[in-house]
Amino acid sequence: MKKFIALLLPLAVAASFAPATVAQEKTALVPLPSLDDFTKGQDGWALGLGAGVEYESAYEGSDEFGFEADPAGALQWRSGDNIFYFAGEALGWRGLRDDVWLFEATVGFDEGREEADSDDGYLNGMGDSDEGAEFVLQARRAFDADWRYWLDGRVIASEDGNIGIFGVGTRFGEQLDGTGHELSVVAVYHDSDRANKDFGVNAAQAAASGYNQTYIDSGIRSVGLHYNYRTYINDNWLVFVEGLYEHYSSDVRNSPIARGDYEAELGVGFIYMFF
């Protein structure tokens, strides 16, 4: 969180000297509440900064929940059907093609996991996993140009393994500005490297923690629901709500790291758009 703020605040100061374009309409690149677009349909720079509060699992597989404050927003630059963005620890590009294809490429970071993430000591002896780079490639295909229904495929690749996310979703309402409600059904696949990073217990960890040594094959990680809501209070203030529920597969549930059968989170927050 501190790193996000330290990176974004200098950009906010620099961007404040950029020429502003008065928005005549609020047409998002893709009218989906799950995709931030602060450009209001205009080419050039856009900046949104805000904060949110999430009630979420302490770590993946945890049955401990708590509140966490997180920054929100991004610095964006739009040119036609392309948006380049910087959001703290993520640098990426998003592009619309033929009105029904959306492609996205992002370089970001996985924050890793620490023993201290469990207040009840369930991670004692498991050691800490360091933050690492992640590369995200995504493609969405709408059934029509208004993006009422779509298919989604995403790959998250890192040196610690890979995750594939596949889903189908729908949005509600007639807005084209990225506000309204959105709901999607997703299936998450992980390879064996990523599965064992998050839920496996190797020999050294077993000896230190007392857990049984556990190896997890590649396969389905979870199935679940994702919900997003966005609405404007006025021309500059945006309020958002995000919810997630994913039910783990039997292989994951059999891991001693998975204290619960599911992962869930609910977040609310606001963003102020400068341009």
Side-chain angles (χ1 to χ4, degrees):
M1 177 176 176
K2 293 180 179 178
K3 184 182 294 184
F4 183 99
I5 295 173
L7 288 170
L8 268 187
L9 285 181
L11 289 175
V13 176
S16 65
F17 293 98
T21 302
V22 177
Q24 300 300 318
E25 58 182 6
K26 297 178 181 178
T27 303
L29 181 68
V30 178
L32 298 181
S34 58
L35 300 173
D36 286 330
D37 185 347
F38 308 132
T39 66
K40 299 181 180 180
Q42 306 298 308
D43 284 356
W45 290 103
L47 176 65
L49 287 177
V53 176
E54 292 183 343
Y55 184 71
E56 60 182 355
S57 306
Y59 56 90
E60 293 188 71
S62 174
D63 60 355
E64 302 170 61
F65 287 81
F67 290 96
E68 181 176 354
D70 290 309
L75 177 67
Q76 300 176 339
W77 184 75
R78 181 168 178 171
S79 177
D81 287 335
N82 298 281
I83 291 179
F84 300 86
Y85 59 89
F86 179 69
E89 294 184 348
L91 180 66
W93 159 83
R94 185 180 298 145
L96 181 66
R97 299 294 181 266
D98 297 327
D99 293 327
V100 294
W101 280 101
L102 179 73
F103 298 99
E104 186 167 8
T106 308
V107 179
F109 288 91
D110 174 19
E111 296 181 353
R113 186 185 68 195
E114 299 179 356
E115 289 188 3
D117 289 342
S118 173
D119 292 336
D120 294 334
Y122 294 130
L123 295 177
N124 290 350
M126 292 299 298
D128 299 339
S129 58
D130 295 331
E131 181 181 86
E134 289 186 337
F135 301 92
V136 183
L137 298 175
Q138 179 177 195
R140 293 195 186 192
R141 174 62 162 89
F143 289 91
D144 48 44
D146 69 359
W147 285 82
R148 182 67 55 203
Y149 303 95
W150 72 93
L151 298 174
D152 181 35
R154 193 182 323 167
V155 175
I156 303 173
S158 72
E159 63 180 1
D160 295 316
N162 308 299
I163 291 178
I165 303 173
F166 308 95
V168 58
T170 183
R171 72 179 182 94
F172 305 91
E174 302 298 327
Q175 306 96 316
L176 298 177
D177 58 0
T179 63
H181 303 267
E182 176 188 325
L183 184 67
S184 59
V185 179
V186 299
V188 183
Y189 173 93
H190 54 194
D191 64 16
S192 58
D193 288 339
R194 186 57 184 256
N196 286 286
K197 171 185 178 291
D198 294 335
F199 299 104
V201 180
N202 61 34
Q205 291 171 329
S209 67
Y211 291 140
N212 292 329
Q213 190 170 341
T214 303
Y215 178 84
I216 300 177
D217 289 323
S218 59
I220 297 294
R221 181 189 187 96
S222 63
V223 294
L225 295 173
H226 292 182
Y227 170 78
N228 288 273
Y229 172 72
R230 300 282 189 277
T231 188
Y232 287 102
I233 298 177
N234 55 37
D235 285 342
N236 295 99
W237 286 100
L238 177 70
V239 174
F240 64 87
V241 178
E242 298 174 346
L244 173 151
Y245 175 85
E246 292 186 12
H247 194 79
Y248 290 133
S249 67
S250 58
D251 285 346
V252 172
R253 295 198 304 270
N254 289 334
S255 165
I257 304 303
R259 310 290 305 183
D261 294 341
Y262 64 91
E263 177 183 357
E265 65 181 59
L266 178 64
V268 297
F270 64 90
I271 294 173
Y272 181 85
M273 291 171 288
F274 287 83
F275 308 130

